[in-house]
Amino acid sequence: MLARFCLRTTIHVCALSAAAWTSLAVGEESVSAENIDHAGIITRWDEQSLERGHKLFLLACAPCHGTNGIQTINPQSRPFAVDKFQNGSDPFSIFKTITGGFKNMPSQTWMTPEQRYEVIQYIRESFLKKLNPTQYFPVSETYLGSLPKFDPARAANIAAIKSGQRDFGPVLESQLGTNLADVLTFRLQDNVTLTYDLHHMRLAGAWQGGFLDLSHTGHFEQRGEGQPQPQGTPLRGLQHWYWAFNGRFNYPTEGLLPRGPLPAALMRYKGHYVYNRQAILSFTIDGRDILELPEAEKADDSVIISHTLRIARGPAQLRLCMGQGEKSSQQRCGLVLPQGSAPEGQGGPVRGRLVVAASVIPNGDLPQGGHSIGDFVAAGAFGATEGLTWEVDDQQRLILNIPGDGQPRLVRVLCFAGNGTAALRKFGERIHQAQPEAIVDPETLTHGGARLWPMALDVHGQLGKESNAYTLDTIPVPFNNPYGAWLRTSALAFFPDGRAVVTTYGGDVWLVSGLDTPLEHVTWSRFASGLYEPFGAQVIENQVYVTCRNGIVRLKDINNDGEADYYETFYADTDVSTFFHSFNFDLQVDRHGRLYFIKPGEYTDYKLPGALVEISPDGKRAEVYCTGFRVPNGLGLLPDGRLTASDNQGNWMPASKINLVRRGGFYGYVQNLKGGGLFGDQWAPDGGRIDADRIKPPTSFDQPIIWMPQEFDNSSSGQLYVEDPRFGPLSGRLLHTSFGKGWMYYLMLQEVGPVAQAAIVALPFQFDAGLMRARFNPADGQVYATGLSGWQGPPDGKDGCLQRLRYTGRPAKLLDDLKVQHDGLALRFNFELDKAAALNAANYQLEQWNYLWSANYGSDQYSVEHPGQKGHDRVPIQDIKLSNDKRQVFLTIPGLRPVNQVEIRLALQAADGAAFKELAYLTINAVPER
C-alpha cells in the first residue's frame, strides 16, 4: 500500500542491493523505538477509527492502489483484494511494512502509530475479510498477547526526546556555522547528510549519524541566537565536490561581496525540485544548465556518495572536482584504474574506469607488485561518458573534464573513500557492475510527485464575542501536528479565491482554506517546507512568493496537488549575513509588478545595512530604494504606489516610528562609519564607493509620519492600506501592526505640501501573539493578521496566531480624522457630539515632547519649550469650536509648531449620551500656512 509515495524512490533500487531495501530491519527498529501499545490500539478499533482509516486510505493509498482493491493505478502497487502479502498479513506484520517501507515504498512514519493501524483496519475490513479471506488474519487474545509490550516509562522518555523533533522535509536551507551564509542540507539514506554551499555550488560538508544540530537556533528556541552545526561524524575524503569557473578552480574574487553568490555569468543557483523525500538541485555553471541528484548508499561499513548529473548542451568546457586526497607525510599518487588493476598514469578516458588519489606504501601487493594502496579517495562514473576524461592534479584533486556538447549528457558519479587495495578493488567492481541504463534522469523527477503531507488538519474557528462594529475572530493554529512543525507564523498572503498562505519562522508554508464567515470547517494543509526563515509573502498570478533570508523564492505546484514541487530562486540576495537577526522583512508588490523587501541594519554585518530593496518584475535586477533602517519589521503600500516602512527603538532610533519613504531617502539609522557600514568604504547607496575617512555622520534624516512612545508600540511591524468598503468605516485607511504589543492601529494621514505626517489610534483588540503581517482577504473583504511571540510580543503570547478583524455591520464611533491647521487642530468624528461636552476644555488633555536622535539606545522625552530638559509640555487650548453638523471640533492652539510627539486624550460624549474616550498620538512635521 501507499505506493503513491514510492515512485520517487525507484532509483534507489537500481543503485543499492535488493537486500538493503527489502529487509524489514528498518521497520523493526522504528517499531521498537516507538514503543507502541500495539494490542491496545487494535482492541480500540471501532466504527470511528474505520472511517478515519478510510479517509487516510483515500489520501495516501488510493492514488496508486485504486479504490476497489482489484484494479491498481500504479502497476507496481499491490491489489489488496486479490494478492498475497509478502511480509505477512497479520496487523503487526502489515504495520512493520508500513513503518519500515518495502521495495519501492518508503517508510510512512509521517502517520502516527494509531493512524497506521487505522489504515490497516480499513484494508482488512474492506478488502480482505470478504474479497481475500485467506489474507484476513483473525485477531485472538493469544495473538494480542504475543505483540511487543508497551513500556509507559520508556514512552515518557521517548516523548520527551521527540518533543524536539521536526520534519523539515527532504532539505533545509539555512546558514552553517558562522562562515557559510546559505546552504541547502540534504537528509539522505543510511543517516547520511550532505550540505551544499549555494553561493558557490560546492559541497560544504558530508557526515553520517545525524542531520543538523539546530538546538540553539530559532527552530527550537524562541530567540535562537545559535547557528546550525553538523551533527554526526564527518565522512573522510568525501567533503570535496566543487566546480571550476571559466576552467579555473582558483578563480579571481576581487570585487565580490563575501556573503553573496558568485556572478551569474559563472554560477547561478536556480532552485531545487522536490520529489518524494528527494531533492534535485538546478543551477548553471559557465552558462550550462545542470540538474544534480545527490544520493548515498552503503558499502559494507562505509558510504558511497552518488551524484547523478544531467548537463545541458552548450559550448563551455566544464571541470568538476569530485574528491581530493588529504595531505599526508606519505607519498601521494593519482591513478586511473580499470576495475582496480595497475595504474595507467595521471589521466585518461572515463568509460569503465575510476580515478584515485591515494597514499602509496612501497613494496605492497598490487597485482604487478611494487606498491600498495593506503588511504585513498576514489571516484567512478558511468552513463554518457564518451568524451569525458579524468585528471589528477598536483593538489590531489580528482577532476572530471566535460567537453562542450551538442546534446544533453546524463552521467552518474560515485565517490568513495577507503583504505587498502581490497577496498579499492571492491569499489572498482561496483563501478564495473553498474548499468548505465539504470540511471534515473533527474529531469524525470522535476514534474511533481505525490504529496509529502497529504493530511489536511481541520480546525473550528472561534467567532469574536464583541458586539460592536468590529470583532476579532480566531482561526486556531494546529500547533500539534503530525510533522512536529513549530508553527511560529510569520507572514500572510491570499489567493483571489480567499485561501490564505501562511509562512512560519521555521521555513514552512501552509495553505488555509474554509475562511468563510462562520469558520466552521477551516483546514490547514502544508504546502512547502525547509525555507530559510520566511518573513514575507505575496500571491502573484496565483503563484506564491516568499521573502527569505537569502532572497525571494517562488513556489511552483507543478502537478497541482496542493504542494510545492519547485522552490525557484526568483531573486538571490547579494549579501546574506550570518548574524541570527539578519532577516529580510516583508514583501510588497506594486501595480507595475516591482517587489520590495527591507533589510535590517543593527547587529548585522551587511555592507549595506538597513536598506529597502526594489526588485524588478522578472527578479533579475535589484536596486536600493532607500536606506537608514535599524530593525524595520514591515512595509506597507499606499494606493498611489508610495511605500511605508516601520522601525523600532534602539541605537540611532529614538522611538518606534512609521515612515512614508521616498527613493534615495535616509531614515536615521547609522551603523559604523568604517569597515562596511552604511557610509563604509565598500558600497554606497548608488552602487559606488565612499571614502570613509572623508565622510562625516549625517546631521539629519527624513522624518517619519508618526513617532510612537514605547508604551504605545514598542516593536513595530507592517502596514496595510484597506480600500474595500466591505471593511466598514475603517476602509480607506492605513492600518499598522505591533509585534511588541500584539495590537492593530489606524492612521489619519495629512500632507502639507511635500511634507507628510499622521495621527494614530489603537484599536481595542488584543491579538494572541505579536503581530507581523496584516493582509486583506479579497474574498470576504476583511482584514486578517498573523504573527508570533518570542523575544517580543504580548504577555502570555502564543507561538503563532491567525486572526480576523471583521466588520459586523453595526455602527462605530470613531475619531475619523485629525488635521493640523495653521492655528490649531481639527478633529473630525463619524458621529454627532454632545455640544456641552465638546466645548468643555477639560475633556481634552494635550501634551507634547521631542526625542533626541543620537547613537544611544532610544531616547528620553524632552520638553519643546525648554530644549535639552527632560519632560512634557502641556499644550494650551485657547478656544474650541464645534461645527454645525456637530461632528468636528477645532482646537485653537496658539504658536503651534513642528514637534515629534503630541499626546491627545479625549473624554467626550456623543449626542446619544454614550461616553467616548480615545487616546491618539500625533507627529507634526509641518504647520500649514494661514
Side-chain angles (χ1 to χ4, degrees), residues 242-245 247-251 319-321 393 397 399:
Y242 54 94
W243 296 86
F245 302 108
R248 299 176 58 181
F249 289 108
N250 300 316
Y251 48 87
R319 303 179 74 205
L320 171 62
C321 175
D393 68 3
R397 294 188 184 100
I399 300 170

Side-chain angles (χ1 to χ4, degrees), residues 186 194 196 201 203 241 243 279-283 290-294 306-310 320 442:
F186 289 69
L194 298 185
Y196 282 78
M201 281 319 301
L203 203 58
W241 175 271
W243 296 86
I280 300 93
L281 295 163
S282 176
F283 55 95
I290 299 172
L291 294 174
E292 178 178 346
L293 172 65
S306 164
H307 305 263
T308 303
L309 302 172
R310 179 183 176 85
L320 171 62

Side-chain angles (χ1 to χ4, degrees), residues 76 179 209 239 365 379 402 409 429 876:
Q76 297 180 353
N179 296 321
Q239 308 285 328
D365 60 352
I402 305 166
R409 183 184 292 270
E429 293 170 359

Side-chain angles (χ1 to χ4, degrees), residues 327-476:
K327 293 181 180 180
S328 171
S329 59
Q330 294 176 315
Q331 180 183 356
R332 310 297 297 182
C333 76
L335 308 173
V336 177
L337 304 174
Q339 299 177 236
S341 65
E344 292 188 354
Q346 298 295 310
V350 170
R351 186 170 179 81
R353 300 168 186 266
L354 63 149
V355 64
V356 184
S359 59
V360 178
I361 305 171
N363 303 318
D365 60 352
L366 280 178
Q368 278 82 8
H371 298 82
S372 68
I373 301 297
D375 292 334
F376 67 85
V377 178
F382 55 97
T385 59
E386 296 81 2
L388 303 185
T389 58
W390 293 126
E391 177 187 347
V392 182
D393 68 3
D394 57 2
Q395 299 297 314
Q396 292 294 299
R397 294 188 184 100
L398 310 184
I399 300 170
L400 180 62
N401 296 304
I402 305 166
D405 283 308
Q407 297 295 328
R409 183 184 292 270
L410 182 64
V411 62
R412 188 177 185 194
V413 179
L414 304 184
C415 301
F416 181 68
N419 179 275
T421 307
L424 181 56
R425 280 201 185 99
K426 192 166 186 177
F427 179 63
E429 293 170 359
R430 170 69 180 87
I431 300 297
H432 178 67
Q433 294 169 359
Q435 301 298 318
E437 60 272 15
I439 300 177
V440 173
D441 188 344
E443 196 279 332
T444 65
L445 309 181
T446 63
H447 306 293
R451 297 185 65 183
L452 292 175
W453 312 290
M455 291 193 65
L457 308 180
D458 298 325
V459 298
H460 190 288
Q462 302 161 8
L463 298 183
K465 298 180 180 179
E466 296 86 0
S467 58
N468 299 317
Y470 290 91
T471 189
L472 187 62
D473 303 328
T474 298
I475 297 98

